[in-house]
């Protein structure tokens, strides 16, 4: 499959003759790729030439190669840039190969692949490690030597197995309105280059646009959670009519301002707390196992929620407010303190914190199961599942997490709203659950679930599109 590459890559011999031979072979290859003979190879020529020689490249690989090697920014590689790119890229590949070859026998086996991925925080089975190995192994020995490794990645901008992790990162780009997911993993390279804050910023902006786009459905969910019952049935259409009659079109976005405002502090606190909890909980020299990641993520979520919880209470009150009740966020906060005291800002805190565990746990478990099912069944030539599979896995796992934690979310919302609803008694969490089940049955704990599910697909779609635009604008490579 890679015979064309075999003719021009360096062999393990490091003598001057080999270096000279490599240089002349680079010239031959450059001449083949430079089809219009203008002295440089552009993206189109590189893509077409490699395809004609039977060299498989990943999506966007040609663009990345030209962008990496094009020092004079003329949208093409001259021979000097072309040969320099290949030599430097090969050095990186050699270092990566050596780091993966744990026993220094000159070959990478499935156990070494499994161990390397575990070091990066991704636990995979033997079968999955073998699948990854098969996509690189040319001679069918179920091990990969240096030549096979180099041939596979020479025209692939990826220089390490962290790319496989990046394909499968359960990204916070999928903002469906709740912030209880376990934070993203960032590599050391991403942390040192500052890529992490750009990715977090892109995710925050995506969340802001997504929440604004689905705010009417979110308000309807809260409205039904608090006001709907067996005796006061509220339909989706009836609820929207009621809102429009009471406050006009703009009333559909009540509470959205603070819902968007809390994204930035929550994301920042959760990320910083997650990094600290990982250090505390990791058992083997910084390696983080799946259960440790779950614990660190849950604790980080609890820390962030504790810090911004007053904003959660204000969001519920502002969402449910009647026309003229509050003039602004500050007016809302002032009136809550005056009427109910500071402790009112933590009403519903216990069910909210308890909700993190089923949400984060089921979200992570379902996502890992779907990921492993895809890898074992469909990962033949690449570990990249494609955007539809990633969005599908993320949407399904987040929805399952929401389904499990929804009763606690409903109890939390009712406790937050208690003082603002006329004639309602102040109940504890246990009393609230008991009252709902007695009066409305088990399904009373799922009031408002329809608008909640209705907003999942548009929320995921909007957040993904905005995230991609933000990535481009912030200079994050795809």
């Amino acid at each position: 499959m890679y015979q064309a590459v075999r003719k021009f890559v360096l062999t393990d011999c490091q003598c001057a003759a080999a270096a000279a031979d490599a240089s002349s072979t680079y010239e031959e290859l450059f001449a083949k790729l430079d089809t219009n003979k203008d002295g440089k190879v552009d993206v189109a020529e590189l893509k077409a030439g490699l395809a004609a020689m039977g060299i498989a490249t990943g999506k966007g690989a040609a663009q990345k190669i030209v962008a990496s090697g094009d020092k004079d920014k003329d949208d093409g590689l001259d021979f000097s840039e072309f040969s320099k790119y290949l030599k430097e890229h090969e050095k990186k590949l050699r270092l990566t190969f050596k780091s993966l070859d744990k026993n220094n026998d000159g070959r990478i086996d499935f156990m070494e692949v499994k161990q390397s991925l575990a070091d990066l925080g991704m636990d995979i089975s033997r079968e999955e490690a073998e699948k990854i190995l098969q996509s690189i192994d040319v001679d069918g020995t179920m091990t990969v030597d240096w030549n096979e490794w180099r041939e596979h990645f020479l025209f692939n901008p990826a220089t390490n197995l962290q790319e496989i992790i990046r394909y499968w990162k359960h990204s916070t780009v999928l903002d469906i309105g709740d912030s209880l997911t376990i934070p993203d993993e960032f590599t050391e390279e991403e942390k040192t280059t500052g890529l992490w804050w750009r990715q977090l910023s892109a995710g925050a902006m995506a969340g802001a646009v997504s929440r604004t786009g689905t705010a009417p459905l979110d308000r309807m969910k809260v409205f039904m959670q608090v006001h709907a019952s067996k005796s006061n049935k509220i339909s989706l259409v009836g609820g929207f009519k009621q809102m429009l009659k009471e406050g006009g079109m703009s009333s559909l976005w009540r509470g959205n301002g603070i819902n968007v405002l809390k994204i930035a502090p929550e994301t920042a606190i959760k990320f910083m707390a997650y990094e600290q909890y990982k250090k505390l909980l990791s058992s083997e020299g910084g390696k983080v196992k799946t259960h440790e990641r779950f614990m660190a993520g849950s604790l980080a979520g609890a820390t962030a929620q504790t810090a911004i919880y007053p904003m959660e209470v204000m969001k519920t009150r502002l969402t449910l407010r009647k026309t003229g009740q509050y003039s602004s966020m500050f007016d809302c906060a002032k009136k809550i303190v005056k009427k109910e005291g500071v402790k009112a800002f933590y009403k519903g805190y216990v069910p909210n914190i308890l909700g993190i565990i089923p949400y984060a746990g089921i979200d992570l478990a379902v996502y890992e199961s779907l990921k492993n099912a895809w890898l074992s069944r469909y990962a033949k030539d690449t570990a990249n599942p494609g955007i539809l599979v990633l969005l599908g896995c993320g949407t399904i796992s987040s929805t399952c997490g929401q389904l499990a934690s929804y009763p606690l979310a409903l109890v939390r919302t009712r406790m937050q709203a208690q003082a603002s609803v006329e004639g309602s008694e102040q109940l504890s969490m246990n009393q609230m659950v008991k009252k709902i089940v007695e009066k409305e049955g088990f399904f009373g704990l799922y009031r408002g679930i329809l608008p909640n599910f209705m907003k999942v697909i548009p929320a995921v779609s909007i957040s993904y599109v905005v995230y991609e635009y933000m990535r481009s604008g912030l200079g994050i490579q795809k």
Side-chain angles (χ1 to χ4, degrees):
M1 182 178 173
Y2 297 103
Q3 292 304 315
V5 188
R6 287 187 191 277
K7 292 176 184 175
F8 66 84
V9 292
L10 285 169
T11 64
D12 285 330
C13 176
Q14 298 298 307
C15 59
D21 183 52
S23 182
S24 66
T25 324
Y26 286 156
E27 285 178 26
E28 288 172 29
L29 180 67
F30 185 82
K32 280 184 186 177
L33 293 172
D34 183 20
T35 50
N36 62 5
K37 306 302 176 191
D38 64 347
K40 67 177 184 179
V41 174
D42 59 26
V43 172
E45 286 175 321
L46 186 59
K47 201 183 287 184
L50 293 176
M53 284 185 264
I55 300 172
T57 56
K59 187 181 177 184
Q63 288 91 329
K64 286 182 183 176
I65 289 169
V66 171
S68 298
D70 184 20
K71 301 303 179 190
D72 55 10
K73 306 300 177 191
D74 61 352
D75 297 321
L77 302 177
D78 58 30
F79 177 68
S80 171
E81 291 170 331
F82 179 76
S83 58
K84 188 176 180 183
Y85 170 81
L86 287 181
K87 285 171 187 172
E88 287 180 356
H89 190 61
E90 194 172 326
K91 281 180 191 172
K92 291 177 189 173
L93 291 178
R94 170 70 79 175
L95 290 171
T96 308
F97 181 85
K98 284 182 176 177
S99 72
L100 295 174
D101 182 18
K102 307 286 184 188
N103 59 5
N104 296 315
D105 65 348
R107 306 185 79 81
I108 299 169
D109 58 29
F110 77 90
M111 279 304 296
E112 287 169 326
V113 171
K114 193 173 184 299
Q115 181 59 53
S116 298
L117 286 171
D119 291 347
L120 294 169
M122 182 177 180
D123 292 319
I124 61 169
S125 66
R126 172 177 175 155
E127 290 74 24
E128 290 157 1
E130 287 175 347
K131 285 271 185 187
I132 293 167
L133 206 63
Q134 279 171 357
S135 69
I136 307 171
D137 181 25
V138 176
D139 57 15
T141 59
M142 283 310 293
T143 59
V144 173
D145 62 22
W146 161 239
N147 287 327
E148 288 171 322
W149 178 263
R150 177 181 53 196
E151 288 162 12
H152 186 81
F153 286 109
L154 192 64
F155 282 103
N156 185 329
T159 53
N160 55 48
L161 286 175
Q162 288 178 0
E163 288 298 317
I164 295 167
I165 300 294
R166 289 191 187 114
Y167 289 141
W168 281 107
K169 276 206 305 193
H170 191 172
S171 181
T172 50
V173 58
L174 305 180
D175 189 304
I176 59 174
D178 287 296
S179 307
L180 306 180
T181 50
I182 290 171
D184 269 351
E185 292 287 334
F186 292 103
T187 62
E188 287 306 315
E189 181 192 354
E190 286 170 330
K191 288 174 193 170
T192 52
T193 57
L195 199 65
W196 65 273
W197 73 260
R198 281 182 281 176
Q199 290 201 25
L200 288 179
S201 301
M205 181 57 73
V209 177
S210 167
R211 290 182 187 195
T212 302
T214 58
L217 285 166
D218 189 63
R219 187 174 186 225
M220 176 54 68
K221 177 195 78 174
V222 175
F223 195 75
M224 290 171 83
Q225 282 179 331
V226 174
H227 296 299
S229 63
K230 273 188 177 177
S231 57
N232 181 33
K233 290 186 178 177
I234 300 172
S235 68
L236 210 60
V237 175
F240 278 124
K241 279 183 180 176
Q242 204 175 321
M243 287 179 192
L244 289 167
K245 187 180 176 183
E246 194 276 328
M249 183 64 77
S250 63
S251 70
L252 299 178
W253 275 267
R254 281 179 186 169
N256 182 59
I258 197 161
N259 196 30
V260 167
L261 203 62
K262 69 187 176 74
I263 293 173
E266 185 171 15
T267 302
I269 294 165
K270 191 195 283 188
F271 172 69
M272 289 186 287
Y274 183 56
E275 290 300 312
Q276 294 305 312
Y277 286 128
K278 274 200 304 182
K279 286 176 189 173
L280 287 171
L281 294 169
S282 58
S283 52
E284 298 174 35
K287 297 173 193 171
V288 184
K289 295 176 181 175
T290 305
H291 72 278
E292 291 167 345
R293 185 171 170 246
F294 165 63
M295 287 168 64
S298 298
L299 287 168
T303 304
Q305 282 287 303
T306 302
I308 62 99
Y309 194 75
M311 296 177 85
E312 292 279 2
V313 174
M314 285 172 63
K315 182 243 175 185
T316 299
R317 297 289 181 92
L318 288 164
T319 300
L320 294 169
R321 79 184 188 271
K322 290 176 182 175
T323 303
Q325 188 175 353
Y326 304 120
S327 59
S328 65
M329 285 183 232
F330 296 109
D331 183 51
C332 174
K334 197 164 70 175
K335 283 179 177 174
I336 291 171
V337 171
K338 191 176 179 182
K339 188 180 176 183
E340 305 165 58
V342 176
K343 66 178 183 180
F345 287 112
Y346 280 88
K347 282 185 177 177
Y349 175 76
V350 174
N352 184 65
I353 293 298
L354 291 176
I356 291 172
I357 297 167
Y359 188 107
I362 290 170
D363 182 30
L364 182 64
V366 172
Y367 189 81
E368 290 291 315
S369 300
L370 292 171
K371 176 194 76 178
N372 292 338
W374 188 91
L375 280 172
S376 61
R377 191 169 295 184
Y378 301 109
K380 291 173 185 171
D381 299 318
T382 175
N384 184 0
I387 188 58
L388 284 177
V389 175
L390 283 175
L391 288 179
C393 290
T395 303
I396 292 166
S397 64
S398 295
T399 303
C400 289
Q402 275 195 338
L403 198 61
S405 64
Y406 194 85
L408 286 162
L410 181 137
V411 171
R412 173 203 68 192
T413 305
R414 286 204 179 181
M415 289 177 75
Q416 288 171 341
Q418 276 178 144
S420 65
V421 178
E422 286 179 28
S424 69
E425 51 186 324
Q426 305 297 301
L427 302 173
S428 67
M429 183 179 76
N430 291 337
Q431 290 170 328
M432 180 77 74
V433 173
K434 194 177 176 183
K435 182 185 173 185
I436 292 168
V437 173
E438 279 177 0
K439 284 192 172 183
E440 305 172 48
F442 175 75
F443 290 106
L445 294 168
Y446 282 89
R447 295 275 179 205
I449 196 82
L450 178 61
N452 187 64
F453 281 164
M454 282 176 69
K455 74 181 179 128
V456 169
I457 292 174
V460 167
S461 306
I462 293 167
S463 58
Y464 175 71
V465 170
V466 175
Y467 183 72
E468 286 302 302
Y469 274 107
M470 286 299 296
R471 274 166 63 94
S472 178
L474 291 169
I476 303 169
Q477 283 190 337
K478 291 185 183 181

